[in-house]
């Protein structure tokens, strides 16, 4: 493995492992994105997936928010849909619409056309190169997070062909074709495990698995078609790293909209469970138990508030979560029209208010 500069700020890694921290670490989903003018300038010149596939560009946009804000982690700029691309599906990013599959999966027979034996070291080498380059460019400032989409979320995109308000086509598969659904989910799981292992080998110091479509499932379907694969990913990634004498890294699972999933995930192999803004932090802690770290969960729309109102919103969030075994974040990704100054206020308030809270507790 590549040698990297020593880490200067391990706050988020300590929080993820449940160790004591002097203040709450903070990062934000989609922190490298369209709300930043400098990112929009890059996008004027380059297609979305061109940025993902060009390590120098992916590195640049990953670092952009670190130049503006005192964040405690960077997250590599990529997309969860590079997995379907590696499996042989064409994915386009259509302006004003989002991701689009010209040829989505329409029947179980279509699954047989996927490149199930894909070599991730070849097909997704650009991601690993971007991670290694970014880790070097960070110069130890903060840890670098890698990520992947959860199997159900990836499956639903592959069947729906793009965003959907109901996921009725994908959910229809779960009822009409349960065996084929499990087969597809296992194919996605297998490549995701390899993908995440290689991200760690490339330099990722923490991993997040996004179950972005959890809310569409409900408890019964989650238990059958999501949880087993999330569990398998966490345990297999750690097992494969161990077999190669590589230290495991903390792993985060984010079941968006899945309040019913939190209790199941407390013992699933993930050190951190992310919660969205619809879940009370107090209830999330009760459901998750004391053994895991929680991450979240300010409503992304709260950043539309007047800047002077953000400290109160942050203080309320911190009082509910507490300052230990906790990583501050939004309850989902930051929106494209948020004022970067409000983002800065959010990050700075997490640090200053949590430091103040800890000093009171220690006196």
């Amino acid at each position: 493995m590549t040698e990297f500069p020593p880490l200067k700020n391990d706050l988020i890694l300590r929080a993820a492992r449940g160790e004591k921290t002097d203040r709450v670490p903070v990062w934000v989903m989609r922190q490298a994105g369209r709300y930043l003018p400098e990112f929009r300038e890059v996008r004027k010149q380059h297609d979305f997936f061109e940025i993902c596939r060009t390590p120098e560009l992916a590195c640049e946009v990953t670092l952009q928010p670190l130049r503006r804000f005192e964040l405690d982690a960077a997250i590599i700029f990529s997309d969860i849909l590079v997995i379907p691309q590696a499996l042989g599906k064409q994915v386009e990013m259509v302006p004003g619409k989002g991701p689009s599959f010209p040829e989505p999966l329409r029947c179980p027979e279509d699954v047989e056309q996927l490149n199930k034996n894909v070599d991730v070291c070849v097909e997704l080498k650009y991601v690993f190169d971007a991670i290694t380059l970014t880790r070097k460019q960070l110069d130890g400032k903060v840890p670098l997070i890698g990520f992947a989409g959860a199997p159900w979320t990836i499956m639903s995109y592959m069947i729906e062909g793009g965003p959907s308000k109901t996921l009725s086509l994908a959910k229809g598969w779960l009822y009409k074709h349960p065996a084929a659904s499990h087969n597809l989910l296992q194919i996605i799981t297998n490549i995701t495990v390899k993908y995440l292992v290689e991200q760690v080998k490339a330099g990722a110091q923490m991993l997040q698995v996004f179950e972005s479509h959890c809310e569409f499932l409900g408890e019964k379907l989650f238990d059958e078609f999501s949880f087993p694969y999330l569990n398998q990913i966490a345990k297999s990634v750690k097992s494969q790293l161990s077999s190669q004498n590589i230290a495991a890294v903390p792993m985060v699972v984010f079941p968006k909209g899945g309040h019913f999933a939190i209790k199941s995930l407390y013992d699933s192999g993930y050190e951190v469970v992310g919660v969205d803004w619809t879940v009370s932090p107090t209830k999330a802690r009760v459901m998750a138990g004391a053994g895991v770290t929680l991450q979240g969960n300010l409503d992304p729309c709260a950043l539309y508030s007047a800047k002077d109102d953000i400290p109160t919103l942050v203080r309320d969030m911190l009082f509910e979560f507490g300052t230990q075994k906790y990583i501050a974040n939004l309850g989902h990704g930051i929106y494209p029209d948020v004022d970067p100054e409000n983002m800065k206020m959010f990050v700075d308030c997490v640090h200053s208010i949590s430091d103040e809270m800890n000093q009171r507790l220690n006196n």
Side-chain angles (χ1 to χ4, degrees):
M1 290 178 63
T2 306
E3 289 290 324
F4 295 108
L7 186 60
K8 301 165 188 172
N9 174 2
D10 67 346
L11 193 65
I12 196 169
L13 301 182
R14 287 189 283 124
R17 293 191 294 258
E19 299 170 9
K20 188 174 181 179
T21 56
D22 52 0
R23 59 179 170 81
V24 170
V26 56
W27 70 282
V28 169
M29 289 177 276
R30 295 185 188 146
Q31 64 188 32
R34 288 176 292 167
Y35 74 105
L36 293 176
E38 54 267 42
F39 177 85
R40 295 196 296 271
E41 286 301 312
V42 175
R43 280 289 279 118
K44 286 178 183 178
Q45 305 297 323
H46 304 281
D47 172 77
F48 178 85
F49 281 116
E50 180 190 356
I51 298 173
C52 293
R53 295 189 185 112
T54 308
E56 294 77 13
L57 292 175
C59 174
E60 166 58 23
V61 296
T62 298
L63 296 176
Q64 284 176 348
L66 275 295
R67 298 183 187 122
R68 278 183 175 258
F69 315 118
E70 292 298 319
L71 295 156
D72 293 298
I75 182 167
I76 194 66
F77 186 84
S78 187
D79 194 87
I80 64 172
L81 298 181
V82 299
I83 290 289
Q85 289 176 331
L87 287 168
K89 301 303 292 181
Q90 183 181 354
V91 186
E92 302 169 348
M93 197 62 71
V94 180
K97 177 183 177 184
S100 176
F101 289 68
E103 297 183 0
L105 302 176
R106 289 303 184 208
C107 62
E109 289 72 26
D110 289 346
V111 176
E112 300 309 311
Q113 306 304 313
L114 297 175
N115 183 12
K116 291 176 278 191
N117 297 316
V118 58
D119 184 345
V120 298
C121 292
V122 174
E123 292 297 325
L124 297 172
K125 181 177 183 294
Y126 60 87
V127 178
F128 312 135
D129 288 347
I131 287 172
T132 300
L133 177 61
T134 304
R135 178 81 185 273
K136 290 177 179 177
Q137 291 294 315
L138 279 167
D139 195 32
K141 182 177 182 178
V142 294
L144 179 60
I145 302 172
F147 69 92
W152 157 246
T153 292
I154 299 300
M155 171 184 167
S156 60
Y157 271 114
M158 294 174 76
I159 294 171
E160 296 287 342
S164 167
K165 293 183 179 180
T166 63
L167 295 192
S168 58
L169 296 176
K171 286 184 69 178
W173 271 52
L174 305 183
Y175 289 103
K176 292 188 294 184
H177 311 299
S181 295
H182 280 296
N183 179 41
L184 177 55
L185 289 163
Q186 189 61 59
I187 290 169
I188 297 168
T189 297
N190 293 343
I191 185 175
T192 301
V193 169
K194 295 174 184 176
Y195 180 48
L196 290 173
V197 167
E198 292 301 323
Q199 287 190 46
V200 175
K201 292 167 69 174
Q205 294 154 288
M206 188 166 164
L207 298 171
Q208 177 152 318
V209 178
F210 287 87
E211 188 63 289
S212 304
H213 293 166
C214 190
E215 61 195 306
F216 293 92
L217 289 174
E219 189 168 0
K220 184 176 179 180
L221 290 178
F222 172 80
D223 287 345
E224 182 175 355
F225 293 103
S226 174
F227 178 78
Y229 301 100
L230 289 171
N231 183 248
Q232 188 182 146
I233 287 170
K235 293 187 175 176
S236 295
V237 166
K238 292 178 180 180
S239 173
Q240 290 192 25
L241 289 171
S242 176
S243 70
Q244 298 177 54
N245 295 315
I246 299 170
V249 301
M251 295 184 69
V252 186
V253 60
F254 178 50
K256 181 180 177 290
H259 57 88
F260 49 82
I262 295 173
K263 188 173 182 180
S264 300
L265 291 168
Y266 86 96
D267 191 30
S268 59
Y270 295 88
E271 288 79 8
V272 184
V273 176
V275 293
D276 64 73
W277 72 94
T278 67
V279 182
S280 155
T282 304
K283 291 180 180 177
R285 175 53 70 195
V286 171
M287 289 187 282
V292 299
T293 293
L294 294 178
Q295 177 177 279
N297 75 335
L298 190 71
D299 184 345
C301 288
L303 295 189
Y304 293 137
S305 300
K307 191 159 67 170
D308 291 345
D309 291 337
I310 292 175
T312 299
L313 295 167
V314 170
R315 187 179 299 275
D316 290 346
M317 179 182 73
L318 291 171
F319 269 100
E320 281 205 74
F321 274 109
T323 62
Q324 302 302 315
K325 290 188 176 180
Y326 172 52
I327 298 167
N329 206 314
L330 300 182
H332 197 219
I334 188 170
Y335 296 143
D337 55 348
V338 164
D339 184 342
E341 286 301 309
N342 284 16
M343 166 73 161
K344 183 179 189 303
M345 177 65 81
F346 169 68
V347 172
D348 291 347
C349 284
V350 168
H351 286 155
S352 62
I353 295 172
S354 64
D355 180 63
E356 172 192 315
M357 290 170 64
N358 278 338
Q359 287 190 38
R360 286 180 184 173
L361 288 172
N362 294 330
N363 290 337

